Amino acid sequence: MSRIIHVFFGILIIVFGAFGVSRLSFNVSLMGLLPPNLPGVAGTLAFQKFHDKPNELLLTLQTQDGGDFSAVLAERLRAEPGLVELVQNEAYWRKEPGSLVELTAHTWLNAPTERLLALEASLAPEKIDALLDKRLEKISDTFDPMTSEMISHDPLSFGSMLAGLGETAGEMNVSDGFSSADEKFHLLKVQMPQNIRGYREISNWLDRVREVVKTWQRDDIEAASVKVAYTGNPAFEAEIGSGMEQDMKQSISGITLIVGLLFWILHRRIGPLFFLMLAMLVTGLLTLGVAGIAFGTLDVMSMGFAAILMGMIEDFGVMGLHEAMRRPEANFRAVHARVFPSIAWSALASASVFAMLGLSSLPGIARMGLLTSLGILIGAGVMLYGFLPLAMRRRDAIPPASRPSSVRIGNWPGWLALVLFLLASGSLWWRGVPGNTSNTGILRPRHCKAFEALEQLQHNLQPTRTGVNWLPVIVHAKHADQLTTSLRKIERNLTNAAADGRINGHFLPSTFVPEPSRQAANMIILSRLVAARERILTSLDTAGFTAEGMLFTCGVLEQWNKWIAEPILDTRYPPFNLLENLIGPVFRRDSTGLKVCGFILFSEQDDLVNSSILDEIQQDPCVQIGGLDYLTIQLKQVLRGEVQRVLLPTVVLLIALLFLVFRNSRERLAAIAALAFSGLLLLGTMSAFGMTWNFVNIGAVPLALGLGLDFNIHMIHALRERGAEGHGVGRALAYCGLSTGLGFGALGLSDNVGLASFGQTSMIGVLATLLTAAFFLPWFWRHINIRKLFAMSGTAFQ
């Protein structure tokens, strides 16, 4: 009957775990690791979404001699059946020069009415000839062929509105977006097919693209020297998603190997080891199942729970097995009664501490803490009621010589504790307490080719003015009137700030944002200009402008004429695809409303923390400010907030647990001293190796404190019940703590900088608490007379 029950529960666990895991997906967005309610995060996310093209892969081509191979490679990619939706290798305005006509017409439709009236006045019969004479004179006087060409094809300066915008935008991007000034760097934009989803499918598609590129370089000798790199959303999703999967496999397999190896060294038996591995697998499967059902997605930070959990839950199994081996005559009920209090309190304390991480403002850390907390409780149950009964069946096969015994270890723990105390104190005195860092680089993978390619692209095609910072500004409104009102207010504030020297400049594409009342007034003026079209063209012809030179002017007048002939009741918007191809993503319209992207120019010396202009414009709920510079400043507040939000509640919880778990002042004092000494070792080691605190690894502090309490519970419980030697509990704790610490160490090998720093800091903290609980605490218990200490201080001992 028991076998049937075991099979039933096994099938139930597999079905539940498989169902939950099938619902899991990986979130590869690095910005998703930060608090979503932080203004800088919300603004940066809005900026990224504004520019986001999830299906666009960017290929960069770098040559030594300046040759352009982009057109040839574009044809190769287009020739592959079903590989790409679209390939673009040159600016849209070069391919479709007539596209400037419609956009120019829109700039005048949305222009301030006063400026349009000034244009109409300059084209009056008595003034147009003088205007054309000045334009011709400028052509003859200029030595700049580009200026001469522009005037020849735009004699009436219709393009001045668009040119002014281009000059402003040119400070942010001085290239055409597809090739560098020296022609040695080129860009290809490749649209991925819409039906490809998930990082695995994207990785496979990206491999096909790479294979086409390799074949092209192999077939073309001249192309062999071209350096091709890949970036854009598909490249990031494929690389980060695959990296997360690899990190998870590496950490889980690493900790499993460590646990198995240490268990073999301690017990040298296959049976209990097999059951331990099986129990860990079941716990992991159940926890992943819950994660899939409850959360649905895991990010690069929350993925770390797997290695932590595997390193912790085996503690419960090993402690139970240790008791069973110490008492070979006892049955399961007797062993269970003996180990249940310490395992229950240990699981409750550890789960409570990890649950405190759920208070973190960082979604990944909060989710990792909650999943680990839940996994600990699941693991305690699996180890007590699954592993322990099965392992006890093989207990008789363990020879007495291998059973743990009480071993006196002399006074070396006291001397070692003194040496470590002096070293840690000396390191803190010499190098100081570890500092903190809040830069966004903590979110990045340590090795990411897509990031490196993006940096090269920005360096070559988006050179910005040195010594300045451009902060993105996103204005989001539900309708045009609301957007116009916000933009006018922002324009006023920014203009005043520039006059006061608080900013160096700004860029807002107000030219393209329609205002219904202004468009209605401007259409009346434009209709008068269209009515005077024949007269205006006759004046151009008389002045000597060729038919080719009048094409642009004729095109703008014809566009206005179409609008007059086909009036609409609603507001006219510029073609957004045309606007994006010619100017860039500065104005968009979707189901949520209208969005505008602008920039504020600061010098690198400006204090963005106390910038009054940023506070002023963010009073408008339609406005969001982002950018890495602004975000870095706000992350300092996150670090301070994490201390108050997570660390302080954890300390309060630990104090409460001290009074609940331990019976008297001696046990509480011993636990407090052990935790304080462990903290000193952690700080001293971090200081010695030049490690710093960041908003991710600050979560290692409550973890180290919680695990320290966990180890201390086991050890003090054994010292209370079994005497000063603890009957080998220190040896079992050493195994458990070492495997847990190395489990965190597996996270230290993660490719994500933040998760690696969390793993490394946690490993140091866990090993410090292990050393203290397993060796220093028993020595302290034996050699320090607590009653005398209390008597000397005049305090009553309980």
Side-chain angles (χ1 to χ4, degrees), residues 125 140 195 237 289 317 468 750:
S140 60
N195 61 339
E237 188 164 350
V468 298
S750 170

Side-chain angles (χ1 to χ4, degrees), residues 172-188:
M172 296 176 289
N173 186 353
V174 298
S175 75
D176 67 353
F178 284 87
S179 60
S180 59
D182 59 5
E183 295 292 328
K184 293 183 179 180
F185 193 91
H186 298 271
L187 175 67
L188 274 179

Side-chain angles (χ1 to χ4, degrees), residues 69 216-217 220-227:
F69 295 89
W216 164 64
Q217 291 187 301
D220 190 336
I221 298 177
E222 293 183 356
S225 61
V226 178
K227 293 182 180 178

Side-chain angles (χ1 to χ4, degrees), residues 128-129 132 532-545 550:
I128 188 170
D129 291 337
L132 295 176
R533 176 172 53 179
E534 294 301 325
R535 175 181 61 78
I536 292 173
L537 294 178
T538 300
S539 298
L540 289 173
D541 183 57
T542 303
F545 286 94
M550 290 189 288

Side-chain angles (χ1 to χ4, degrees), residues 593-658:
L594 301 168
K595 299 176 184 177
V596 162
C597 177
F599 294 87
I600 306 175
L601 177 62
F602 288 89
S603 71
E604 290 183 344
Q605 290 74 35
D606 287 335
D607 182 10
L608 298 182
V609 177
N610 301 310
S611 175
S612 58
I613 184 60
L614 296 182
D615 293 334
E616 289 175 16
I617 63 176
Q618 286 188 102
Q619 296 299 317
D620 189 334
C622 297
V623 177
Q624 291 180 306
I625 297 176
L628 295 183
D629 296 311
Y630 188 52
L631 186 58
T632 298
I633 292 170
Q634 294 197 320
L635 289 180
K636 295 179 181 179
Q637 302 172 3
V638 173
L639 185 58
R640 291 193 293 267
E642 288 298 285
V643 173
Q644 300 173 359
R645 189 179 297 106
V646 179
L647 190 56
L648 294 182
T650 303
V651 172
V652 173
L653 175 64
L654 290 175
I655 293 174
L657 288 173
L658 284 174

